[in-house]
Amino acid sequence: MTDIDAVPGMGPLLAARKFFTRAEVSADGRTLHRIDPGAWDRFYRDRWAHDKVVRSTHGVNCTGSCSWQVFVKDGLITWEHQATDYPSVGPESPEYEPRGCPRGASFSWYTYSPSRVRYPYVRGVLLEMWREARDRLGDPVLAWAELTGDPERAGAYKRARGKGGFVRSSWEEVLELLAAAHVHTIKRYGPDRVVGFSPIPAMSMASFAAGTRFLSLIGGTLLSFYDWYADLPIASPQVWGDQTDVPEAADWWNSRYLIMWGSNIPVTRTPDAHFMTEARYRGTKVVAVSPDYADNVKFADDWLAPHPGTDGAVAMAMGHVILTEFFRDREVPYFTDYVRKYTDLPFLVTLEPRGDAYVPRRFLTAAELGQRSENAAFKTVFLDEATGAPVVPDGSLGFRWGREGEGRWNLGLGGARPALTLLGRSGRAVAVDLPRFDEGATEGGSVMRRGVPVTEVGGRLVTTVFDLLLAQYGVARGLPGEWPEGYGDAARPYTPAWAEEITSVPAATIARIAREFARNAEVTRGRSMIAMGAGTNHWFHSDQIYRSFLTLVLLTGCQGVNGGGWGHYVGQEKVRPITGFQHLAFAFDWQRPTRHMAGTAFWYLATDQWRYERVGAGELASPLGEGLFAGRSFADCNAQAARLGWLPSHPAFDRNPLVLADEAAAKGVPVAEHVVAELTSGRMRFAAEDPGDPANHPRVLTVWRANLLGSSGKGNEYFLRHLLGADAETRNEETPEGLRPAEVTWRERPAEGKLDLLTAIDFRMTSTALFSDVVLPAATWYEKHDLSSTDMHPFVHAFNPAIAPPWQTRADYDIFMELAERFSELAARHLGTRTDVLAVPLTHDTPDELAQPGGRVRDWKRGECEAVPGVTMPKIVTIERDYAAVAERMRGIGPLLSDLGLTTKGVTYRAEPELEHLRGRNGVTPEGRISLATADRMCEAILALSGTTNGRLATQGFETLERRTGTVLADLAAEHEGRRISFADTQARPQPVITSPEWSGSETGGRRYSAFVINVERDKPWHTLTGRQQFFLDHDWIIELGEQLPAYRPPLNLRRHYGEQDGGDGAGVVVRYLTPHSKWSIHSEYQDNAHMLALSRGGPTIWMSVEDARAIGAADNDWIEASNRNGVVVARAVVSHRMPAGTVYMYHAKDRNLNVPLTERSGRRGGVHNSLTRLLLKPSHLIGGYAQFTYAFNYYGPTGNQRDEITVIRRRGQEVSY
Amino acid sequence: MRVLAQVAMVMNLDKCIGCHTCSVTCKQTWTNRDGVEYVWFNNVETKPGVGYPRRHEDQERWRGGWQVDRRGRLKLRSGGRVKRLLGLFANPDLPDLDDYYEPATYDYDTLVTAPAGPHVPVIRPKSAITGEDMAITWGPNWEDDLGGAPEHAPADPNLAAMAEKVRMEFDKTFMFHLPRICEHCLNPACVAACPSGALYKREEDGIVLVDQDRCRGWRMCVSACPYKKVYVNHRTGKAEKCTFCFPRIEAGQPTVCAETCVGRLRYIGLVLYDADAVLGAARVAGPRDLLEAQRRVFLDPDDPKVAAAARAAGIAEDWIEAARRSPVYRLAMRYRVALPLHPEYRTMPMVWYIPPLSPVLDAVTGMGADADDPDNVFHAITDLRIPLGYLASLLAAGDTEVVAGALMRLSAMRAHMRARAIDGSVDEDLLAAAGMTAEEMEEMYRLLAIARYDERY
């Protein structure tokens, strides 16, 4: 498929091989010069020869989205090399070619490897019982019902999970089993008990969409992954009202000061690292912040090595320096102009008395000024510098929805100049109490007293966010309270000397880097950048760490500027053609919405990790809080979030939602009314309030494109015990009485084996596959059509089959199509058409953001308000499901795209011409619908229906948005209005995307993508309360946690909560246990690849310092065991002086299926890296219903963080057995 | 003067991210087959470290390369023809499998076929040589990112060659990655050592190959190569080595390792040299004079006399043009930032390296760039973490001045470009110190930073 001659650089200069006739030995006999004899070298020439080259890529969760050339000879895949034909970045920049890494380069090893899953498999004990029941009863649905309804038989196959014994089945047999399980579960328990897990659609959109479309059509629960992976930076929705948006890699080149902070770019962004190394040659200073001497450190001009998890303290101290030197001591007009217009710093915040001082409460709004305009409670206020009068500027949330805001949702200031500070204005100042977390008896820390200038507006005492920020950061201005005496004051937050004591980074270094960073931003107008990653984002309090980083880029006017701002690089894969993708993937062409679920909350309950808490939510509350969490568990907080409509909660109720609709029909009342009556009467409860009730268990789980049990499953051993009923290693004790949930029902015996059916679709035997009941053989990435995109580069490109799927493997797309057929056949008999009842959370980028003003918590269950669906509780939505028609609907585009259009981030697109085009391009189904019968058709439809890949839609979207903002936007896309990227285009070459309102940056005119450029350059508000980038947050639960402003919160003190866990024999060393991303795998993918094993150490390892190794007498490559209350891991030690003492790394996702011996502790197979971790919910991640804190899929929700963990390492016996 | 053309490579270690993509694509393309499981035509080492095979740089042990005897004659370190013939059947200077590593495979199908049992099925390492269970105790990249360095790296011969002591302590940590292929030397010891005449240097482009038909498996080449880049295929018994991807080079394509290098740090170019001058250059007395001696062997393709001689030698016009555009020649000769690997081996290697800059950290004192002047963001090269002595041992026969000169030019380029990018200013003193004009500096910058595909190869 690739014409070698067309590859750039293949000029003729080296092409002509000259044949000489001489062979010559040099006079001294040193060398032999010779022409080739022409025959012997045929071996190498033949080896290089190939028949065709096919473009494809890797559907792996790495954000690389690299285009590859797959070489095929004699019908066999031989190897792959990187494609080099990316569209140019321009003459003054390095290009994207070649993108790839050693992991991708080794992929073809899998195609024919002995580890390949070639046929469908079912565990023998299950298959035998299934065949017997199936044959005896003659009806597969009844057979599944009988088998799973019999505790003895069900227990037998559940206990066998993970212990081998797979038997080859056939597609026919196994799909019937799956279909029967789905039909029975829907009928008996409800569709929301059918669950699907598949992450990161950008890494293969059609493959993702196949499963999610099927599950959406039947009403299944779709689990989120970005938050579950702890890759979602909660600070992003908090500060920007946006999930994540980051600069593409080529924009690093435009930076002049680049801090890599917890982001090991050469290892985790391998194809892009060259932009960083090359930017140095353009004069960019590079700083690395990493606790170890990581791969990226060697490129840095400076290396800061704070203790793990203390990065926030470094950043807070840098903020202290910047506020002191660039705001207090000297004014930098570029900075102050920026923060006035683009941040909430000038906005007024009310203060309330507390004791003998004050505490900040909420943003002052127009409502409190007595304004009666539409949505006045969502219009924030500043003082005009010249007149001192309060101004309600356009652009806040109050202008986003409703008629009056039409044309006014923009950042224009209408001639006003916001006052940043009240100092010198009213002459009045008060003391404020602010939380600090570096000391105190609990995680909630203690209190520090500072002061702010104040004035009265609308009868309320107010100050500005800027004044509060200076108080928080301890920048003294002669105000009341206790202030640091200078940078050298180590006792008071947040000075450099204070940070040095916590982090070990010298105060002078912190001050110097801060000064350089800000000064660079001043002279370059914002070209200072922080690339941040999992090293700083996977902590329990990562939202606070990130807010302290974002403070640095916001104060210095770097965000929304090419070469500046944040670069959040972990798991942030971007489906560039998002509109077409999400409408088809979630079957929004047939029904809206679908059952999106917050992954972490789901697993927390499903795996019963909530039963093992040793502290309550109150532990985290600031002493300045009001006791909202006192006596309440994290599970209680989660249940409250569910019933207030903040987070989704599926399964929703302790009743089959199909039955709920029948009941309402029987009573003759509207469904919502029935639901509210049942809930408020207490006859029905949310499933989250009693997760142990067998009626509330998830029953059927399908995992595709993922390795839940070998990779992302934090608290792995709890998954095994409670979800699967398999052997597990946790020795954790359950929550003692007295600390147990106040509201959530505690059942004496926890469930073991909640799931009736676990299915893995994969081409490898991962841990997930090994523990599954059914394993389906998937086609690889070189055997199917699909689409790939990322935010690291601005292109979309294709997967293509280099060979047909070998053996009995099938593409995910085809598997779900086939499953839908079998399902529909059985459903016709057993389900028919039913009405499904969905509890839908209040949703971001809709008027639901206005539901709960001020973020004040009012709970209908406690009688604090009425239970009103869509206001104080979830929306209640019904969907009629024709279960027999699921297969037909899978295959064809439904009517809603025409009837309702397509809506992304609040902008609705009309796509009639595109649908007409697709009708011709894709053909129609027997039912007359536009066909989605094959993956390439799905790809075509995704591209046609998205703004980034269809200039007409992008332009139309901007025109729609213009009517709301009243500013000029459509020109951003107009240059490409006629351009429509087809699937064939992406097969030929990576295609650059089009600027679109689906995202916040601009590629217009060939510029590099950087987040929020449109906001800054075109005055488009952020999707926040103020419409500006927010330093200050005012939801009740955030106030309770003391997190209104950026603050340093240390890693959780698990030693205090759980003890030393070393068993008391003193043979081990207690260390911080971190699981960074690996150099030799992408999560668990590739870690079993022979090439990667050869280049690494051939199995699981734990990196440790010389000091820690010495403490336990371990030498390099000795076997060690790492254990804590959660589980146990066996690995080889890698001893290196690049590791700091007191911290070990077990690189992420070492599966337990390769070179893992039996443990000494238990005599069972050692665990995965996540055997030592456990989920911890942060209450502020559960909030919703208010402004930017309103739920969307993968946008907001508790993170599956895992970095705060500790473990004990000991040297074990060196004789191991397997 | 006898003009010959050589395809040569420069690798910019300052850009190498240590990802090993080059190793994998090379392996997949060339040595992914029986008999060469342990062979990596291209490998990447973490320095400091003992490398692959272990301590291959210790020529006291392996006796690779050349030496000059008291009478100024160039001799293979492994001895003269007679000595080598006597050693044919008992070569003491041959690394054994342990010096490389015992390649492993795994019983992969166990995961699918394991019968019902008490434990989660697991696959375990099996020797790819014997098929027996094995414990993995070494590998081709065992020391990656300083893994096991406190135990192994002190044996790195380059550390012994240094004046200052290097301690394996957290605060002192430094590292860089060193990708290695065959050097395709102008004065190849492997060729000279082969009793069968199977190794030869291609007349037209200087690529060193092993004629598989003529190789008798004597393995003298393995010993003689000081870079240990000739390997034995244990199935065929014959020597194999990096071919500089000649089937690709002949088709006008760069080597696999170069094209797939995602760090974009490899440059391939043609160099014209005077074949008659090689011997004289290889036997200059002082090891530190070898670099300049080798540079003098290279011919300036812009010199009309050289071009005429090249034409007379039958070198085609497009090749002469290629030599003029050669990024290798520019980096080695014009900008003088590229240096040969271990010139003291006297093989006149033709894969050269740009030495790496490295970060400053002083965790204890917090020293760094000018604390008072936030506009002065770069550190002096004397503050860098990688000891100059270490790089000098690797790239300059111990001459730290040479390495410092290259690093200084890189450093000056960064300062110059920063000033240009921020306020357009030019610091003439800086340029003078680097001995380069602004135009030269910016040309070098383009070649190192922007480095388009057709500029790299």
Side-chain angles (χ1 to χ4, degrees), chain A residues 1077-1110:
Chain A
H1077 290 136
S1078 167
K1079 184 165 177 174
W1080 305 110
S1081 67
I1082 301 295
H1083 309 291
S1084 73
E1085 184 75 53
Y1086 299 110
Q1087 49 112 17
D1088 52 350
N1089 184 300
H1091 299 302
M1092 296 300 95
L1093 287 163
L1095 288 174
S1096 59
R1097 288 193 169 196
T1101 56
I1102 290 179
W1103 284 70
M1104 57 196 307
S1105 69
V1106 177
E1107 294 82 356
D1108 293 326
R1110 190 184 302 130

Side-chain angles (χ1 to χ4, degrees), chain A residues 608 611-612 692 721-722 734 747-752 754:
Chain A
D608 282 343
R611 293 178 63 99
Y612 296 86
R721 173 174 296 168
H722 297 295
E734 291 198 316
R747 290 171 181 253
E748 274 318 308
R749 275 184 60 83
E752 297 194 354
K754 292 179 177 178

Side-chain angles (χ1 to χ4, degrees), chain A residues 8 15 30 32 36 44-45 47 95 165 278 280-281 295 298 300-301 303 519-520 1088 1098 1135-1136 1155, chain B residues 14 16 19 29 106 108 114 123 145-146 148 187 200-202 240 250 264 359 361 375 414 418 452-453:
Chain A
R30 274 183 308 112
L32 180 67
D36 286 339
Y44 291 114
R45 292 185 196 285
R47 192 165 165 94
E95 302 286 13
E278 286 155 347
R280 294 177 308 144
Y281 294 165
D295 293 60
K298 68 187 183 126
D301 294 293
W303 173 33
R519 174 67 181 164
N520 180 79
D1088 52 350
V1135 180
S1136 177
N1155 203 2
Chain B
D14 188 52
C16 182
C19 72
T29 310
Y106 297 77
Y108 283 104
I123 55 178
D145 287 356
L146 299 175
N187 185 33
Y200 63 101
K201 190 169 178 64
R202 296 214 306 194
E240 290 201 45
E250 289 167 8
R264 306 166 93 246
L361 159 109
D375 293 326
R414 295 185 66 198
R418 181 171 180 85
R452 286 179 192 292
Y453 188 99

Side-chain angles (χ1 to χ4, degrees), chain A residues 4 8-10 12-18 20 22 24 28 30-34 36-37 40-41 43-45 47-48 79-82 90-95 97-98 100-102 105-106 108-109 115 121 162-163 165 253 256 270 274 278 280-285 291 293 295 297-303 506 509 512 515 519-520 770 1079-1080 1088 1091-1095 1097-1098 1103 1106 1116-1117 1132 1134-1138 1153-1156 1163 1165 1218, chain B residues 2 12 14-16 18-21 24 28-30 33 66 106 108 111-112 114-117 119-125 135-137 140-142 144-148 150-152 168-170 173 175 177 187-188 191-192 197 199-204 210-214 240 246 248-250 252-253 256 259-262 264 279 316 318-319 325 359-361 363 366 369 371 375 377-379 413-414 417-418 421 445-446 449-450 452-454 456:
Chain A
I4 290 292
M10 293 300 174
L13 289 172
L14 295 174
R17 179 160 181 255
K18 307 300 178 192
F20 290 76
R22 299 191 305 273
E24 182 202 336
D28 53 357
R30 274 183 308 112
T31 54
L32 180 67
H33 286 276
R34 205 172 77 185
D36 286 339
W40 81 263
D41 63 359
F43 170 73
Y44 291 114
R45 292 185 196 285
R47 192 165 165 94
W48 174 244
W79 55 72
E80 56 278 89
H81 292 166
Q82 294 99 312
E92 298 304 321
S93 167
E95 302 286 13
E97 58 80 21
C101 75
S106 68
S108 58
W109 176 89
S115 70
Y121 289 96
K163 295 179 179 172
W253 172 251
R256 298 286 169 271
T270 309
H274 70 86
E278 286 155 347
R280 294 177 308 144
Y281 294 165
R282 204 184 186 189
T284 301
K285 171 153 181 171
Y293 191 98
D295 293 60
V297 171
K298 68 187 183 126
F299 296 106
D301 294 293
D302 277 285
W303 173 33
T509 304
R512 176 168 58 82
R515 199 174 291 131
R519 174 67 181 164
N520 180 79
L770 286 170
K1079 184 165 177 174
W1080 305 110
D1088 52 350
H1091 299 302
M1092 296 300 95
L1093 287 163
L1095 288 174
R1097 288 193 169 196
W1103 284 70
V1106 177
D1116 188 49
N1117 208 40
R1132 299 270 201 178
V1134 181
V1135 180
S1136 177
H1137 63 292
R1138 83 165 167 88
N1153 60 11
L1154 188 145
N1155 203 2
V1156 174
R1165 180 79 55 224
Y1218 293 88
Chain B
R2 196 163 68 91
N12 182 355
D14 188 52
K15 289 176 78 173
C16 182
C19 72
H20 303 250
T21 308
V24 175
Q28 288 263 60
T29 310
W30 297 119
R33 51 195 159 92
W66 303 87
Y106 297 77
Y108 283 104
L111 296 179
V112 178
H119 298 300
V120 181
V122 74
I123 55 178
R124 52 185 300 188
I136 296 175
T137 57
N141 186 33
W142 193 256
D144 192 71
D145 287 356
L146 299 175
E151 190 173 324
H152 305 292
M168 302 294 159
E169 293 171 2
F170 180 72
T173 313
M175 72 171 178
H177 295 99
N187 185 33
V191 173
L199 280 124
Y200 63 101
K201 190 169 178 64
R202 296 214 306 194
E203 183 80 41
E204 62 271 39
V210 185
D211 183 334
Q212 296 290 299
D213 291 342
R214 296 189 67 162
E240 290 201 45
F246 70 83
R248 288 175 55 98
I249 290 286
E250 289 167 8
Q253 296 174 302
V256 168
E259 184 177 273
T260 65
C261 173
V262 298
R264 306 166 93 246
L279 178 60
D318 59 342
W319 280 48
R325 283 183 24 193
V360 167
L361 159 109
D375 293 326
V377 298
F378 294 132
H379 300 281
M413 174 185 74
R414 295 185 66 198
M417 291 309 299
R418 181 171 180 85
Y445 149 78
R446 286 197 75 86
I450 295 179
R452 286 179 192 292
Y453 188 99
D454 53 5
R456 301 202 300 276

Side-chain angles (χ1 to χ4, degrees), chain A residues 380-546:
Chain A
T380 47
V381 183
F382 60 70
L383 293 188
D384 182 62
E385 194 160 76
T387 66
V391 176
V392 179
D394 290 353
S396 58
L397 184 61
F399 295 91
R400 187 173 183 197
W401 307 108
R403 206 172 40 79
E404 288 176 21
E406 208 54 39
R408 293 184 62 188
W409 188 52
N410 65 61
L411 299 178
L413 293 171
R417 181 176 163 85
L420 271 182
T421 178
L422 303 185
L423 193 65
R425 185 165 292 280
S426 72
R428 199 177 149 199
V430 300
V432 289
D433 282 339
L434 297 166
R436 65 186 284 190
F437 302 97
D438 56 326
E439 56 174 42
T442 68
E443 297 282 351
S446 64
V447 176
M448 59 186 179
R449 178 155 298 180
R450 302 260 160 93
V452 288
V454 294
T455 189
E456 263 187 43
V457 176
R460 287 180 166 76
L461 198 65
V462 297
T463 188
T464 68
V465 174
F466 179 74
D467 287 324
L468 281 169
L469 196 73
L470 288 184
Q472 175 82 348
Y473 277 82
V475 179
R477 290 183 298 170
L479 292 165
E482 294 171 359
W483 300 82
E485 286 166 10
Y487 288 178
D489 185 341
R492 297 194 176 95
Y494 285 101
T495 67
W498 168 88
E500 177 174 341
E501 292 208 341
I502 289 170
T503 66
S504 86
V505 180
T509 304
I510 294 173
R512 176 168 58 82
I513 299 298
R515 199 174 291 131
E516 287 179 3
F517 184 86
R519 174 67 181 164
N520 180 79
E522 180 184 358
V523 298
T524 63
R525 297 181 71 80
R527 292 180 188 267
S528 291
M529 187 183 286
I530 305 177
M532 49 190 92
T536 46
N537 190 52
H538 282 186
W539 298 85
F540 185 76
H541 290 303
S542 70
D543 46 3
Q544 285 300 300
I545 296 174
Y546 263 42

